[in-house]
Amino acid sequence: MPTLILVRHGRSTANTAALLAGWTPGVALDERGTAQAAALPARLAELPITEVVTSPLQRCQETVQPLLDARPGLRAHTDERIGEAHYGEWSGRKLAELKDEPLMEVVQAHPSAVAFPGGESMRAMQTRAAEAVREWNARVERDHGADAVYLMCSHGDIIKSLVADALGLHLDLFQRISVEPCSVTAIRYTRLRPFLVRLGDTGDFASLVPREEPPGTDATVGGGAGAP
């Protein structure tokens, strides 16, 4: 079965403003995110990518555009199932404010029990994304062969949930996974089991440098802004 390259969108204006964007329209890449997207074709130059599948949201569409420009024969498809989690009433709110919501503690410790007010459950988010991957695996194998490589551009929580699915981890453990903006995660699917072969690879180690204010113990809902 194919190898899936999962790319999180580049850093967005919502990331730098510390907002939970969700499906809020008009959230674009910021200057750094645009540079990250521009570097993506060179980072993936050796991969024979056969298809590109992207979330319909602007920040993902902008992330894959340089890759599509560099490979004119590459087809792009939009799939809403790998769009961001539907955060409902939390969409567009500051992450600092959301920390005080009682539900945030559940998001961190027991996400499989969470349904966002006016939005979807985290279980539903993972299910739709995993179903999309399985359908695209079959389609890519049918059209391009069992050793094909294809790319999906999606969002932090979606990618984390797909990694958990590939590893056989319960959704309650997915907050232990971290994927930075424009990071590359690769999963090689086989008939019996998937293999996680890359996780959150950005090509640099800036995010590991100790900071004046150490990161907290909670996971950033939506994925965070990456290295400063």
Side-chain angles (χ1 to χ4, degrees), residues 10-24:
R11 196 174 73 176
S12 72
T13 53
N15 293 144
T16 47
L19 299 175
L20 185 62
W23 285 69
T24 304

Side-chain angles (χ1 to χ4, degrees), residues 179-203:
V179 289
E180 290 199 4
C182 225
S183 62
V184 174
T185 294
I187 302 171
R188 180 166 58 86
Y189 288 88
T190 73
R191 187 173 65 86
L192 296 181
R193 63 185 62 85
F195 292 89
L196 179 66
V197 292
R198 292 288 188 281
L199 176 61
D201 188 344
T202 62

Side-chain angles (χ1 to χ4, degrees), residues 11-12 22 27 42 57 67 76 79 89 93 95 100-101 106 111 126 160-161 165 198 202 208 211 217 219-220 223-224:
R11 196 174 73 176
S12 72
V27 177
L57 296 173
L67 179 64
D79 193 325
E89 295 171 15
R93 293 183 59 186
L95 291 167
D100 297 327
E101 293 280 354
V106 188
Q126 183 186 44
K160 288 162 55 178
S161 74
D165 175 75
R198 292 288 188 281
T202 62
L208 302 181
R211 306 179 189 180
T217 56
T220 303

Side-chain angles (χ1 to χ4, degrees), residues 148-160:
V149 177
Y150 74 107
L151 181 146
M152 282 186 168
C153 185
S154 188
H155 306 266
D157 282 349
I158 296 290
I159 294 172
K160 288 162 55 178

Side-chain angles (χ1 to χ4, degrees), residues 51-54 64 68 74-78:
E51 303 278 3
V52 170
V53 187
T54 179
V64 299
L68 298 174
L74 195 56
R75 292 189 61 194
H77 311 268
T78 297

Side-chain angles (χ1 to χ4, degrees), residues 6-10 53-55 59-60 63-64 81-84 128-129 151-159 162:
L6 286 161
V7 176
R8 185 184 166 200
H9 62 78
V53 187
T54 179
S55 157
R59 52 198 183 271
C60 287
T63 298
V64 299
R81 295 174 296 176
I82 61 167
E84 181 62 285
R128 64 173 163 85
L151 181 146
M152 282 186 168
C153 185
S154 188
H155 306 266
D157 282 349
I158 296 290
I159 294 172
L162 289 172

